[in-house]
């Protein structure tokens, strides 16, 4: 509200300045009635631009003040002559009978514009009341002023001088407009008056120069001054004012543009529309949301809206203004990378699109109070929930569904690897399921947003216990083969329905990866497999589950070179589904070729080495597990081993 009103004030000030500027300049000509006038006349909108003020607002011809306050109509200005006509000449006003004069103005003098002056005799009644008719032979008499004013007027057209007139009479000079002599013309006073008066004028030289040089010739009582100084100052002031006005205009304009731009961005950020979401990128590839909107969308991060808590923050269910459901991850404070890097990573992650990857809509802006990540909302929980969590009792995950989940997850990971992104946290908690049990792999690359100081062991390790590539503990680096390892754990979970880590299991079986490896190696896969899935009753399921166990075995190899790439995993899953899976070495033993047979021949973890690996994890400094404690699976892990 403040910005629009300040813009309105700016424009109002500007308007006043412009009006003032327009008024302070003298027009060369101006219209009064239907006639054009110029200096020395002016009108009230520019009173300082002339010596005589015309009233142009009464409609019809303008008027000018003449003798004794009478206002006469002014008709034309030609060169230095004007014609003025007494008001209402059809009714002669006795006040007219006095010598004609214009109001005094020291800068200008008027004189008759015609030589045909008519002399009027104004004769007062005396006590004798003797007739004067004989004194003025051939004159007309106008007696209408006798009763009220006690004088008569004797007149004769075109008589300029009268000598020897009686003492009670005085002459009135009347500069009558010249007319060709017309013997038939009525010899009335009206005839004399309706021609009007023609006047010439003479503006004093200095005043005229003043006017010509663009200054104001200002009359004050008996004198006049040229307002050179003031006018120049005024010019300077006007210059400054107009520069200031331009500046204000520019400022107003800029404020307006910025305000509009911010509004647009806010609208874009705050009210992300379905079409925005469909068309993808809005702001550098990721949508930027306003904190307030997300706060509103999640009922101020109400605990009833909590979907769960992970290692990076708490996830809330939210609904945007246009009804789109979102999952808002509220990151734990201040542990993310520098803001710039963070936004960069978001840009990369938000650009990744795959039907089995969770859609990252975007995040709050770098200026926001808190960093929030906004994801599409997936309603059916996680794979972990269905396998061994709160939804496990429903027994909803039949074998074909599990097979499909494995394939979709592998596809999503292969796509990530092709896009040069390592997931770094593949686990059943990060595999979300929609109502048709389609996979949405979540939190890919999330750890990229956080510091990765490999030289310092107290830094939060990447990944979740039970899923972490054992090689990570050798070199503190995760590769795409680390994702393959974690995926191997997911496969083991899919066939066994067991959690990746369970401290209630025997010591060397706490990690499902170890448990699975040992069972498969000992040819005791049936001890690993969830019996409710039809392994014993359905030969197809039996075949597929055994093959998946073999594939998991390949993925869980200690040496990363022995593990397949994600593309190969996808291929393998497809062949398992289609019944063409072969556990034999496929070609002539190329180094990077994988097969179950080959994997079986490679040194595999004995129970002792498994324990050793366990020790490496459990014996990490407390600070490591401290950081990990926020993940639920980690909590039980660190607790039991301390
Ligand atoms: P990590 O931090 O390692 O990813 P996590 O996956 O257990 O661990 P979060 O990713 O924070 O933790 O997610 C917590 C829970 O929130 C998930 O287990 C899931 O139930 C829920 N959740 C997360 N994202 C979504 C989503 N997009 N739609 C619906 N529920 C979600
Ligand atoms: Mg997660």
């Amino acid at each position: 509200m403040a910005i629009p009103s300040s813009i309105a004030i700016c424009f109002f000030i500007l308007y006043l300045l412009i009006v003032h500027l327009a008024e302070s300049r003298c027009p060369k000509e101006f219209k009064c009635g239907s006639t054009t006038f110029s200096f020395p006349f002016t009108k009230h909108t520019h009173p300082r631009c002339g010596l005589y003020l015309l009233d142009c607002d009464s409609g019809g011809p303008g008027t000018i003040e003449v003798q004794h306050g009478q206002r006469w109509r002014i008709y034309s200005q030609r060169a230095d002559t004007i014609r003025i006509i007494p008001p209402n000449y059809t009714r002669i006003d006795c006040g007219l009978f006095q010598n004609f004069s214009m109001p005094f103005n020291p800068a200008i003098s008027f004189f008759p514009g015609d030589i045909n002056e008519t002399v009027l005799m104004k004769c007062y009644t005396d006590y004798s009341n003797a007739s004067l008719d004989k004194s003025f032979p051939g004159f007309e008499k106008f007696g209408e002023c006798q009763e009220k004013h006690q004088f008569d007027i004797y007149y004769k057209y075109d008589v300029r001088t009268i000598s020897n007139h009686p003492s009670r009479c005085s002459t009135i000079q009347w500069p009558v407009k010249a007319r060709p002599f017309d013997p038939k013309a009525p010899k009335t006073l009206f005839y004399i008056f309706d021609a009007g008066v023609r006047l010439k004028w003479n503006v004093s030289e200095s005043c005229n120069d003043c006017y010509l040089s663009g200054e104001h010739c200002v009359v004050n009582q008996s004198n006049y001054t040229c307002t050179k100084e003031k006018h120049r100052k005024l010019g300077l002031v006007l210059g400054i004012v107009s520069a200031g006005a331009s500046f204000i205009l520019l400022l107003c304009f800029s404020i307006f543009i910025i305000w509009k731009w911010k509004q647009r961005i806010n609208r874009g950020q705050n009210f992300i529309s379905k079409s925005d979401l469909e068309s993808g990128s809005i702001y550098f590839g990721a949508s930027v949301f306003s904190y307030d909107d997300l706060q509103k969308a999640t009922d101020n991060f109400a605990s009833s809206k909590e979907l769960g808590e992970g290692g990076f923050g708490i996830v809330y269910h939210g609904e945007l203004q246009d009804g789109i459901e979102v999952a808002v991850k509220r990151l734990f404070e201040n542990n993310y990378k520098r803001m710039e890097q963070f936004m960069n990573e978001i840009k990369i992650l938000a650009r990744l699109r795959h039907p089995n990857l969770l859609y990252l809509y975007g995040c709050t802006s770098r200026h926001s109070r808190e960093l929030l990540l906004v994801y599409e909302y997936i309603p059916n929980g996680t794979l972990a929930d269905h396998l061994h969590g709160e939804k496990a009792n429903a027994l909803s995950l039949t074998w074909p569904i599990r097979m499909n989940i494995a394939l979709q997850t592998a596809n999503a990971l292969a796509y990530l690897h092709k896009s040069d992104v390592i997931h770094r946290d593949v686990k059943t908690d990060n595999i979300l399921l929609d109502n048709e049990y389609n996979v949405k792999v979540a939190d890919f690359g999330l750890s990229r947003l956080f510091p990765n100081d490999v030289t310092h062991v107290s830094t939060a390790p990447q990944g979740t216990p039970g899923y972490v590539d054992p090689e990570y503990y050798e070199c503190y680096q995760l590769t795409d083969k680390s994702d393959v390892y974690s995926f191997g754990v997911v496969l083991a979970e899919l066939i066994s329905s067991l959690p990746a880590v369970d401290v209630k299991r025997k010591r060397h079986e706490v990690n499902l990866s170890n448990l699975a490896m040992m069972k498969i190696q000992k040819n005791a896969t049936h001890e690993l497999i969830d019996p409710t899935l039809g392994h014993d009753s359905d030969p197809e399921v039996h075949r597929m589950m055994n093959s998946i166990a073999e594939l998991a075995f390949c993925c869980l190899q200690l040496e990363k070179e022995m593990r397949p790439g994600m593309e190969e995993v996808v291929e393998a899953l497809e062949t398992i589904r289609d019944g063409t899976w072969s556990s034999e070495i496929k070609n002539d033993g190329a180094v990077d070729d994988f097969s179950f047979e080959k994997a079986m021949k490679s040194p595999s973890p004995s129970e002792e080495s498994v324990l050793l690996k366990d020790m490496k994890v459990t014996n990490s400094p407390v600070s490591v597990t401290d950081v990990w404690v926020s993940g639920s699976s980690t909590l039980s892990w660190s607790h039991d081993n301390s």
Side-chain angles (χ1 to χ4, degrees):
M1 247 348 255
I3 291 180
S5 51
S6 56
I7 288 172
I9 291 168
C10 279
F11 276 109
F12 183 65
I13 292 171
L14 209 68
Y15 167 78
L16 291 181
L17 282 172
I18 289 167
V19 168
H20 176 73
L21 277 176
E23 284 187 357
S24 57
R25 289 176 99 222
C26 288
K28 269 199 140 181
E29 292 181 331
F30 64 94
K31 274 262 184 201
C32 201
S34 55
T35 317
T36 304
F37 294 91
S38 60
F39 184 80
F41 304 101
T42 186
K43 59 180 184 175
H44 75 277
T45 51
H46 299 85
R48 289 158 65 90
C49 292
L51 302 169
Y52 275 94
L53 211 58
L54 305 187
D55 178 5
C56 305
D57 293 337
S58 46
T63 62
I64 185 168
E65 187 183 340
V66 297
Q67 53 195 0
H68 313 299
Q70 290 173 8
R71 293 204 74 88
W72 287 30
R73 286 167 295 162
I74 178 163
Y75 272 94
S76 59
Q77 179 185 359
R78 251 179 239 118
D80 57 351
T81 311
I82 48 167
R83 188 161 75 99
I84 57 176
I85 297 173
N88 201 10
Y89 61 90
T90 52
R91 250 198 74 246
I92 287 178
D93 176 357
C94 295
L96 286 172
F97 297 113
Q98 42 196 316
N99 280 336
F100 181 85
S101 63
M102 290 290 282
F104 174 73
N105 187 319
I108 186 170
S109 54
F110 285 92
F111 50 93
D114 294 282
I115 47 164
N116 316 34
E117 275 194 341
T118 291
V119 174
L120 302 177
M121 291 306 302
K122 184 180 183 182
C123 301
Y124 282 93
T125 314
D126 70 353
Y127 297 109
S128 67
N129 220 1
S131 170
L132 290 170
D133 293 353
K134 283 180 195 153
S135 308
F136 305 111
F139 275 60
E140 304 287 332
K141 180 182 167 186
F142 179 76
E144 288 182 20
C145 299
Q146 179 57 245
E147 200 179 318
K148 266 198 177 169
H149 303 278
Q150 288 83 47
F151 66 79
D152 292 318
I153 297 292
Y154 291 87
Y155 63 96
K156 192 176 182 185
Y157 185 72
D158 213 18
V159 171
R160 284 166 221 164
T161 50
I162 298 172
S163 50
N164 299 324
H165 52 78
S167 60
R168 60 187 167 115
C169 299
S170 55
T171 55
I172 297 172
Q173 303 294 328
W174 195 255
V176 165
K177 183 183 183 295
R179 287 179 172 184
F181 181 71
D182 178 3
K184 285 184 200 155
K187 301 290 184 287
T188 63
L189 264 181
F190 297 115
Y191 182 71
I192 294 171
F193 282 136
D194 89 336
V197 169
R198 293 225 311 168
L199 290 174
K200 288 186 173 235
W201 64 84
N202 207 347
V203 177
S204 77
E205 211 170 308
S206 52
C207 186
N208 207 39
D209 289 350
C210 178
Y211 167 74
L212 290 176
S213 63
E215 319 289 337
H216 290 144
C217 180
V218 178
V219 174
N220 38 26
Q221 302 214 331
S222 60
N223 215 336
Y224 63 89
T225 45
C226 187
T227 56
K228 270 186 185 160
E229 285 290 303
K230 277 188 183 169
H231 199 60
R232 238 177 242 146
K233 261 189 203 162
L234 187 69
L236 190 70
V237 169
L238 287 182
I240 293 168
V241 163
S242 53
S246 314
F247 176 73
I248 291 173
L249 182 67
L250 207 71
L251 196 73
C252 291
F253 188 68
S254 315
I255 292 173
F256 183 72
I257 293 290
I258 291 170
W259 174 63
K260 273 273 167 205
W261 178 73
K262 278 197 163 180
Q263 248 194 352
R264 253 192 91 204
I265 285 193
N266 273 345
R267 221 175 285 134
Q269 293 169 356
N270 301 352
F271 310 109
I272 181 168
S273 67
K274 276 179 182 139
S275 59
D276 283 341
L277 295 180
E278 276 156 19
S279 69
S281 64
I282 290 168
Y283 186 67
F284 295 123
S287 304
V288 178
F289 293 81
S290 90
Y291 180 85
D292 290 351
D293 274 5
L294 294 178
Q295 198 176 23
K296 243 182 261 162
T298 56
D299 284 354
N300 199 15
F301 304 105
S303 49
S304 59
K305 295 275 179 179
E306 266 184 41
L307 292 170
E309 182 176 336
F312 304 102
I314 300 172
V315 182
Y316 296 86
H317 178 234
E319 191 173 322
L320 297 180
Q321 283 197 351
D322 52 4
I324 294 178
E325 287 184 283
V326 288
V328 180
K329 186 170 269 194
R330 193 183 193 185
L331 298 175
F332 295 128
E333 257 175 87
N334 293 333
N335 58 352
Y336 34 80
K337 281 184 185 176
R338 274 193 309 117
M339 213 48 219
E340 211 121 311
Q341 250 173 308
F342 186 93
M343 298 308 267
N344 254 346
E345 298 291 353
I346 293 285
K347 268 194 275 173
I348 294 168
L349 299 178
R351 270 204 291 264
L352 298 172
R353 297 287 144 76
H354 187 276
N356 301 117
L357 275 188
L358 183 70
Y359 194 171
L360 169 65
Y361 289 147
C363 57
T364 45
S365 91
R366 68 185 69 194
H367 309 294
S368 171
R369 266 176 278 175
E370 270 181 61
L371 264 182
L372 305 171
L373 297 175
V374 184
Y375 294 96
E376 70 178 307
Y377 171 72
I378 305 298
N380 199 15
T382 65
L383 177 57
D385 293 339
H386 286 272
L387 284 176
H388 33 70
E390 57 194 41
K391 296 186 181 201
N393 291 339
L395 297 178
S396 49
L397 295 188
T398 59
W399 178 251
I401 289 177
R402 292 183 192 216
M403 192 60 217
N404 198 42
I405 289 171
L407 198 56
Q408 288 190 353
T409 307
N411 264 317
L413 294 176
Y415 166 82
L416 279 181
H417 292 179
K418 251 195 280 174
S419 314
D420 287 329
V421 173
I422 302 168
H423 188 297
R424 296 164 192 244
D425 198 12
V426 176
K427 58 176 176 176
T428 47
D429 278 312
N430 279 338
I431 298 171
L432 298 167
L433 297 174
D434 70 11
N435 290 328
E436 277 77 47
Y437 297 100
N438 286 310
V439 163
K440 295 284 179 180
V441 173
D443 293 336
F444 43 91
L446 191 59
S447 60
R448 285 163 64 121
L449 309 176
F450 298 85
N452 183 22
D453 185 358
V454 295
T455 59
H456 200 270
V457 79
S458 68
T459 310
Q462 320 247 346
T464 303
Y467 293 90
V468 182
D469 178 359
E471 284 212 346
Y472 178 76
Y473 299 103
E474 312 279 330
C475 58
Y476 293 95
Q477 258 190 350
L478 292 174
T479 63
D480 51 356
K481 291 289 181 77
S482 314
D483 281 353
V484 173
Y485 182 90
S486 310
F487 182 72
V489 180
V490 172
L491 288 181
E493 279 183 79
L494 278 170
I495 55 173
S496 67
S497 306
L498 298 173
V501 173
D502 188 349
V503 291
K504 288 185 219 101
R505 293 197 290 253
K506 282 189 231 155
R507 192 168 179 195
H508 53 274
E509 292 179 355
V510 166
N511 271 358
L512 180 63
S513 56
N514 299 333
L515 171 67
M517 290 295 274
M518 288 184 297
K519 296 284 180 202
I520 296 165
Q521 205 171 30
K522 285 181 188 164
N523 218 359
T525 308
H526 58 279
E527 288 175 22
L528 175 70
I529 271 167
D530 178 353
T532 65
L533 294 170
H535 181 256
D536 296 335
S537 52
D538 186 333
E540 259 304 277
V541 174
H542 181 95
R543 176 189 64 76
M544 279 194 263
M545 290 187 90
N546 280 358
S547 302
I548 292 288
E550 290 176 3
L551 180 61
F553 188 85
C554 296
C555 294
L556 290 171
Q557 288 300 298
L558 294 179
E559 306 283 330
K560 69 173 186 285
E561 288 76 20
M562 293 296 294
R563 299 173 207 154
M566 215 58 224
E567 285 275 8
E568 291 169 294
V569 171
V570 171
E571 254 176 61
L573 284 167
E574 280 167 352
T575 54
I576 290 170
R577 184 193 57 193
D578 302 342
T580 53
W581 161 258
S582 162
S583 55
E584 289 159 16
I585 300 172
K586 279 173 279 177
N587 60 19
D588 306 330
V591 182
D592 58 351
D593 228 34
F594 89 98
S595 78
F596 177 60
E597 242 177 40
K598 199 163 144 188
M600 282 294 268
K601 284 182 193 151
S602 75
S604 291
S606 63
E607 285 195 13
E608 277 317 296
S609 68
V610 163
L611 281 174
L612 199 67
K613 289 285 172 198
D614 279 351
M615 289 299 286
K616 277 193 179 175
V617 177
T618 54
N619 287 352
S620 297
V622 177
S623 53
V624 173
T625 47
D626 275 351
V627 182
W628 283 13
V629 160
S630 44
S632 55
S633 52
T634 320
L635 185 62
S636 54
W637 171 255
S638 58
H639 181 258
D640 192 72
N641 289 284
S642 54

